[in-house]
């Protein structure tokens, strides 16, 4: 290969190389460090100390334990049911919005695109908002939390399934069709098995998300352990709080371990990518597990008291006296701006701090374990509760809200980064270590180089999730649309509520588009 | 060599490439641990239905089954006090009501003000202990709802503005003095609380303090009176507002440290908490049921040990009859502030 | 564990001793992967390591570059045992250059940044970060490329744009940039076509002059002619330490057993 002419060298420009990119989001720490002293009031360090101490002295009160276990049961049941329903609906929706399927079945693709756009709307609204809206619509019943998770998740799963379907090679399908197979049979045979590993892997991830969502819904009064967490935090009963928290942590780690194991056992494609997916051998096992899950789900639904018929009874809505001029007069610009600022700040913090922390602890053998623990707590602990805890020492406002969101998402991102780092193999890093390079620099050059683009691409996706999540830290005040939304809900201001949901949906759709573009650019480079 | 494959083969989807990568090199020890984790998790999942109560407490009474609605009186309360207080208070009350009215009574915990109002609107709750604001909201959403009774102290209820002593805020002589709170970190209780938000905001407004005047451009919402006291005492907020009743009980139980947090102003009295009943109780439970309900409350006496306990937990000497007109001023303030529309 | 008082103690009048293993043992499943291996490598020496698959060649090299901690025996780099302090240990490792079979280039970086990665042991964070913005030390890198017969115009290219042969040479150039005294290579010629393998071997042998020493494991006994010494392992034991000329058909047969490759077994 002949060298390119200098003008064409992509590397000759002053452009940050891969490992440097991964650290760029962490630059947000500099302005944050400058602002933070003004935000700290330090009034409640004593409370923080009590909170931390309570972690090692959780309450063992049997009454509390019983109620915490019940709450945990509700949370897990809601998560499992919501997840299962979303997976089923999402598979159907995904097939229906796949271009390949429409092309094969009907010879046209536009319905796929139309359905895809339609599905973007339920996806753009956070599950908490769905929960609070459904609560108004059908009343407080267990199915509300299940549905609140199922609706946006189903739309998410549908998008992923259709993307996966449309990315599969069509050669086998065409061969079957040419051989005279009927369209549905050909689709099922050619695409079904190839689709499964991706769906399974993503489904496992969604289950972990569902547990976090179910906890969060509880924080806002939709039942389960989240409710206990919030009540014990608000009445400053930290020992009781930690009892609930440890229980939840145990369940979360168990679930994550199970998903990881099953993913590796069944859906797991070979080392790098989908190519080596060998579902055939495990197909029977997967089928059996699915069949075994069905009665468990039914039992859970029964135990939880989910009554689908009750969902159809939409009863009296709050009286609706719209005052649109007043709605228009709200400070939309400022609210949208602070929502976006909150998103960017939280996303940059979460994305930037995870690799930084990994670098920091690289030389210490126990550092990794410490980080894993910290990240597990971040994932587990719903952001509104982090926000409440932060208020003990920080002033309310955007920064506090951003820190709370960032901590939660750091937990998610950090775990993925670590998993990806492990999966990527450490050849280059080991080579650098053998050449006398220090552990941090070796990790930085050797491993982060390969990870940085895909990690940042995931970060872009995460920013999109964070934008949706800003609604949950509305409690902290001055945090944009979320704050007004909670206020509108408690005032039964339906007009404001509708406007806010519409603005949120529009924002998240725009954000999704933007993060898609960023992601494509990162992955294409 | 295999690195680039990570990112290239991926469809434009929600799935980041990470999801499909596994660790190729795991030690056998780790696998073993993971396997036992999986087995444990599987077992836990199977046991889950057993852990769940046969039917969650919130679920049963909310089912629209006509039978359950006919026979069962479902009572609830807005969650503005500590959960353990509510959980002790209401089973006692349910027993007493059941005994005196001759119908089964069930306490349904509700964890959110808005949820309590919505549940009442939908007819999922028959009798609810509302705050003044939430009661008015509920009545407006359920025309014909009956105001049953209030406590003796609810006729002229007060809110206390409190401050952390380190904040330098001193007790003030009159309402105009509330302007010292400008630029301070200030927290209300819950958004829908009458004594922790609505009336205090009204009095603040009269003194020329707007919500955007507080430090950070907005007040906090601690979500309960107990939390407000704890947060102000810790210094997390420099000042806040709580209802008289919770302040007194925190003070007498020693949870409040008078060296760290003081009362700076007491509001004028206003009508607060009350029992609100569905309009259709007479049809469901028989003629005159609503009247009997009212007299049951009004006739609770401290001389009866059982009833004394209830009155004590409610912080009242007795209950008195109440009418919707008592809450007209609250509705007016609610409309002014935008909490009633 | 230690057999002290051996004739050539570390640093005892033998400053040119680059690598020494004494009675090194590495346990494996069942049989030891290395069983009591002792060897010495002096500056300027070029040594080939032969043996069938699984004989312990890779294990021996992994011990030699510090990747694997032997369970018994002693190891000396330039006369000193592996340092306990991390900083000193890193300094020792900086003087050992390893040529990996899969090269282990950093695919996302340019040729020049890859070459500079060999300097990271000397550099601190500021330089390491600057190198990612604007690659440093262009002159030294160009010289390294010329030494392996590569065009310095390749410097700003991404390594993914290089051909297989160019990548091999780049890996050697990176070794040169590290300036090690001990060169280790584990089967660098496997999977290469014969012409490329010969070129690469010539290149490696050319670089391994005093004060450097080269230890290279080989699957093909026919390529040992340019070396000063040949070591051979069988079942984790050192069974031969002789000049290349001593290698004959019978010996090769005994080394490789049934696995022997008649076409290649052309000892001289």
């Amino acid at each position: 290969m002949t060298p390119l002419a200098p003008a064409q060298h992509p590397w000759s420009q002053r452009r940050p190389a891969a490992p440097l990119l991964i650290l760029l989001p962490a630059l947000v720490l500099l302005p944050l460090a400058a602002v933070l002293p003004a935000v700290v009031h330090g009034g409640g360090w004593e409370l923080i100390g009590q909170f931390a101490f309570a972690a090692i002295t959780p309450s063992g009160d049997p009454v509390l334990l019983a109620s915490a276990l019940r709450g945990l049961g509700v949370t897990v049941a809601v998560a499992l049911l919501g997840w299962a329903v979303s997976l089923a609906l999402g598979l159907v929706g995904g097939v229906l919005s796949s271009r390949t399927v429409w092309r094969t079945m009907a010879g046209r693709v536009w319905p796929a695109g139309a359905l895809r756009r339609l599905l973007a709307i339920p996806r753009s609204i956070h599950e908490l908002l769905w929960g609070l809206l459904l609560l108004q619509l059908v009343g407080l019943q267990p199915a509300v939390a299940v549905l609140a998770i199922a609706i946006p998740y189903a739309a998410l799963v549908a998008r992923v399934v259709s993307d996966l379907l449309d990315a599969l090679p069509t050669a086998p399908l065409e061969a079957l069709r040419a051989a005279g197979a009927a369209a549905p049979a050909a689709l099922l045979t050619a695409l079904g098995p190839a689709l499964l590993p991706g769906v399974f892997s993503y489904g496992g991830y969604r289950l972990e998300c569902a547990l976090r969502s179910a906890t969060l819904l509880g924080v806002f009064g939709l039942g389960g352990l989240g409710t206990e967490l919030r009540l014990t935090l608000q009445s400053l009963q930290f020992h009781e709080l930690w009892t609930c928290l440890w229980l939840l942590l145990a369940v979360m780690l168990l679930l994550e371990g199970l998903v990881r194991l099953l993913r590796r056992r069944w859906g797991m494609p070979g080392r790098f990518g989908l190519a080596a997916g060998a579902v055939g051998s495990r197909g029977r096992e997967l089928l059996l597990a699915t069949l075994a899950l069905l009665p468990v789900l039914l039992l859970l639904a029964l135990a939880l008291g989910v009554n689908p018929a009750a969902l159809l009874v939409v009863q009296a809505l709050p009286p609706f006296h719209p005052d649109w001029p007043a709605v228009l007069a709200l400070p939309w610009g400022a609210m949208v701006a602070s929502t976006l600022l909150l998103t960017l700040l939280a996303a940059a913090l979460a994305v930037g701090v995870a690799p930084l922390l990994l670098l920091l602890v690289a030389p210490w053998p126990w550092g990794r374990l410490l980080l894993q623990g910290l990240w597990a707590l971040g994932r587990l602990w719903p952001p509104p509760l982090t926000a409440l805890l932060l208020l003990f020492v920080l002033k309310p406002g955007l920064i506090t809200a951003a820190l709370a969101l960032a901590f939660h998402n750091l937990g998610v991102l950090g775990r993925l980064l670590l998993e990806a780092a492990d999966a990527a193999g450490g050849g280059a890093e080991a080579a650098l270590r053998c050449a006398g390079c220090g552990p941090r620099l070796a990790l930085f050059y050797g491993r982060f180089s390969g990870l940085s683009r895909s990690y940042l691409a995931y970060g872009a996706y995460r920013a999109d999730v964070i934008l949706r999540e800003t609604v949950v830290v509305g409690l902290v005040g001055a945090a944009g649309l979320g704050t007004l939304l909670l206020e509108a809900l408690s005032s039964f201001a339906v007009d404001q509520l509708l406007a806010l949901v519409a603005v949120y949906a529009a924002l998240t759709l725009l954000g999704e588009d933007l993060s898609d573009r960023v992601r494509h650019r990162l992955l294409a480079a | 060599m295999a690195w680039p494959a990570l990112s290239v083969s991926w469809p434009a989807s929600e799935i980041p490439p990470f999801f499909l990568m596994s660790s190729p090199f795991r030690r056998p020890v780790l696998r073993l641990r993971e396997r036992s984790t999986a087995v444990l998790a599987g077992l836990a999942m199977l046991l889950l239905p057993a852990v769940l109560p046969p039917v969650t407490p919130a679920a049963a009474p909310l089912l629209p089954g006509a039978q359950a609605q006919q026979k069962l009186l479902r009572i609830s309360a807005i969650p503005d006090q500590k959960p353990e207080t509510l959980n002790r208070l209401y089973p006692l009350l349910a027993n007493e009501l059941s005994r005196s009215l001759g119908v089964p009574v069930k306490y349904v915990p509700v964890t959110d003000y808005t949820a309590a109002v919505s549940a009442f609107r939908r007819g999922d709750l028959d009798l609810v202990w509302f705050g003044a604001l939430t009661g008015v909201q509920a009545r407006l959403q359920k025309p014909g709802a009956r105001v049953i009774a209030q406590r003796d102290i609810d006729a002229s209820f007060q809110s206390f503005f409190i401050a952390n002593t380190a904040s330098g805020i001193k007790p003030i002589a009159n309402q105009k003095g509330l302007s010292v709170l400008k630029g301070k970190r200030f927290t209300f209780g819950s958004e829908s609380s009458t004594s922790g938000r609505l009336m205090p905001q009204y009095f603040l407004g009269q003194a020329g303090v707007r919500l955007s005047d507080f430090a950070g451009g907005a007040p906090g919402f601690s979500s309960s009176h107990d939390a407000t006291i704890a947060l102000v005492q810790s210094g997390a907020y420099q000042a806040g507002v709580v209802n008289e009743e919770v302040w007194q009980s925190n003070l007498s139980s020693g949870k409040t440290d008078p060296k760290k947090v003081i009362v700076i102003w007491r509001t004028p009295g206003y009508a607060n908490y009350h029992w609100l009943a569905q309009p259709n109780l007479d049809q469901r439970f028989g003629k005159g049921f609503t009247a009997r309900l009212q007299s049951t409350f009004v006739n609770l006496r401290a001389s009866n040990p059982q009833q004394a306990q209830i009155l004590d937990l409610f912080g009242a000497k007795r209950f008195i009859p109440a009418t919707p007109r008592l809450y007209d001023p609250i509705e007016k303030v609610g409309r002014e502030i935008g909490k009633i529309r | 564990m230690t057999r002290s008082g051996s004739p050539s103690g570390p640093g005892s009048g033998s400053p040119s001793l680059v690598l020494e293993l004494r009675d090194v043992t590495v346990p494996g499943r069942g049989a030891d992967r290395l069983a009591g291996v002792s060897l010495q490598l002096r500056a300027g020496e070029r040594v080939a390591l032969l043996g069938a698959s699984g004989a312990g060649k890779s294990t021996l090299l992994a011990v030699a570059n510090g990747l694997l901690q032997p369970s018994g025996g002693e190891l000396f780099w330039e006369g000193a045992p592996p340092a306990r302090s991390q900083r000193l240990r890193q300094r020792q490792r900086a003087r050992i250059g390893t040529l990996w079979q899969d090269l282990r280039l950093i695919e996302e970086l340019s040729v020049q940044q890859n070459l500079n990665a060999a300097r990271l042991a000397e550099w601190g964070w500021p330089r390491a970060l600057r190198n990612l913005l604007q690659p440093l030390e262009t002159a030294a890198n160009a010289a390294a490329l010329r030494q392996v017969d590569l065009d310095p115009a390749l410097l700003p290219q991404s390594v993914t744009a290089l051909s297989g042969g160019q990548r091999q040479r780049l890996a050697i150039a990176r070794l040169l940039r590290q300036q090690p005294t001990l060169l280790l290579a584990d089967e660098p010629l496997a999977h290469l076509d014969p012409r490329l393998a010969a070129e690469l071997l010539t290149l490696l042998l050319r670089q391994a002059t005093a004060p450097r020493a080269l230890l290279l494991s080989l699957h093909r006994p026919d390529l040992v002619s340019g070396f000063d010494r040949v070591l051979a392992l069988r079942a984790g034991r050192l069974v031969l330490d002789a000049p290349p000329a001593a290698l004959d058909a019978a010996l090769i047969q005994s080394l490789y057993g049934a696995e022997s490759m008649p076409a290649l077994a052309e000892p001289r």
Side-chain angles (χ1 to χ4, degrees), chain C residues 26-97:
Chain C
V26 175
R29 276 178 213 155
D32 285 350
R33 282 153 73 193
L34 283 183
V37 171
S38 299
L39 70 87
Q40 291 184 343
L41 204 63
R42 287 171 193 281
E45 266 193 315
R46 295 167 297 185
V47 178
L49 185 60
L50 290 182
S53 300
K57 302 192 296 285
S58 296
T59 308
L60 177 60
L61 285 164
V63 168
N65 81 357
L67 202 59
L68 196 67
Q69 174 100 34
S71 67
E74 283 175 298
L75 166 71
F76 300 96
W77 291 313
E78 299 182 80
R84 285 195 179 280
S85 106
Q86 193 167 23
R87 191 158 290 277
L88 290 178
R89 179 70 171 268
Q90 275 167 223
R91 202 163 296 163
Q92 282 179 322
R93 296 182 92 175
R95 298 176 67 78
I96 304 166

Side-chain angles (χ1 to χ4, degrees), chain A residues 41 43 136 138-140 159 163 201 221 227 234 236 268 315-316 392 423 458 461 487 490-492 495 519-520, chain B residues 12-14 16 19-20 22 34 38 52 54 62 111 118 121-122 137 141 192 197 223 227 230-231 234 236 339 341:
Chain A
H41 60 72
Q136 292 299 317
V138 299
L140 184 61
R159 179 180 171 190
D163 279 347
S201 194
T227 306
Q234 272 170 0
L236 307 183
M268 233 11 259
Q315 289 187 8
F392 292 162
Y458 182 72
Y461 158 75
E487 186 74 41
S490 74
S491 310
F492 298 92
D495 47 357
R519 200 154 78 227
H520 284 182
Chain B
S13 79
E14 300 285 340
F19 290 126
L20 294 165
S22 73
E34 283 183 354
L52 285 171
L62 294 179
T111 39
S118 300
R121 178 183 75 240
R122 294 174 38 82
Q137 285 179 332
Q141 296 186 21
S192 300
R197 193 259 166 104
S223 77
L231 289 172
S234 77
K339 297 305 292 180
R341 301 166 58 90

Side-chain angles (χ1 to χ4, degrees), chain A residues 53-356:
Chain A
F53 176 70
I56 48 168
T57 54
S59 159
D61 179 5
V63 178
L64 173 82
L65 269 175
S67 110
L69 275 176
R70 240 186 344 261
L72 189 64
V74 171
T75 296
V76 175
V78 164
L80 272 175
L81 286 171
W83 167 78
V85 173
S86 77
L87 219 54
L89 290 179
L91 269 172
V92 174
V95 169
L96 286 182
S97 55
S98 149
R99 274 183 224 106
T100 308
V101 170
W102 276 97
R103 194 180 304 117
T104 314
M105 300 287 290
R108 65 195 65 155
V109 293
W110 66 263
L115 196 61
R116 229 168 226 261
R117 249 166 250 141
L118 208 64
L119 281 173
I121 294 168
R123 199 172 60 218
S124 68
I125 296 172
H126 193 266
E127 53 266 25
L128 174 64
L129 264 180
W130 276 113
L132 296 175
L133 292 176
L134 283 171
L135 190 74
Q136 292 299 317
L137 220 58
V138 299
L140 184 61
Q141 46 176 319
V144 165
V146 174
L147 260 191
I149 291 179
I151 293 173
Y153 277 31
L156 277 167
V157 173
R159 179 180 171 190
V160 171
V161 168
S162 63
D163 279 347
L164 281 173
L165 268 173
D166 291 346
L168 288 175
T170 50
L173 180 66
E174 279 149 19
L176 279 173
R177 288 290 281 153
L187 277 172
L188 198 66
T189 318
L191 302 185
L195 180 67
L196 224 46
V199 169
F200 189 81
S201 194
Y202 186 66
Y205 166 70
R206 280 326 304 175
L207 181 57
E208 296 168 16
C209 295
L211 183 67
R212 296 197 285 266
S213 292
T215 311
L216 178 78
L217 288 174
V219 170
F220 286 87
L222 291 172
L225 200 62
T227 306
E228 317 256 342
L229 288 178
R230 175 157 176 190
L231 290 177
T232 47
L233 177 62
Q234 272 170 0
S235 47
L236 307 183
Q237 295 166 316
F238 297 138
H239 303 281
E240 286 77 4
L241 173 70
W242 275 101
T243 309
C244 299
L245 214 51
W246 285 126
L247 279 174
L248 190 60
L249 184 68
V251 167
M252 188 189 76
L253 291 179
L254 270 176
L255 188 79
E256 288 180 358
L258 180 73
V259 168
R260 196 166 48 232
L261 181 92
L262 292 185
R263 185 181 287 163
R264 196 164 305 150
R265 191 173 167 82
W266 293 339
M268 233 11 259
R271 241 176 96 179
F272 299 103
L274 269 174
V279 190
S281 54
R282 301 288 190 193
R284 186 202 295 264
E285 217 174 280
L286 210 149
L287 195 69
L288 279 176
T290 313
L291 287 179
L293 195 62
L294 281 177
V296 172
L297 288 173
L298 272 177
L299 273 176
L300 281 180
L302 271 179
L304 203 58
V306 170
N307 180 355
L311 284 176
L312 300 175
V313 192
V314 176
Q315 289 187 8
L317 288 173
F320 184 32
H321 316 291
D323 180 3
W324 296 112
V327 170
L328 271 179
L330 288 170
W332 290 107
M335 286 192 301
V336 168
S338 67
T339 303
L340 292 180
L341 186 60
L342 173 61
T343 306
L344 283 179
L345 196 58
L349 268 175
V351 173
V353 168
L356 209 58

Side-chain angles (χ1 to χ4, degrees), chain C residues 47 70 109 146 182 222 226 246:
Chain C
V47 178
L109 297 183
R146 271 189 221 101
L182 176 60
D222 59 321

Side-chain angles (χ1 to χ4, degrees), chain A residues 416-438:
Chain A
L416 280 171
L417 179 63
L418 209 56
E419 270 181 12
D422 285 349
E429 184 188 4
L432 285 171
R433 291 285 284 139
C434 279
C437 182

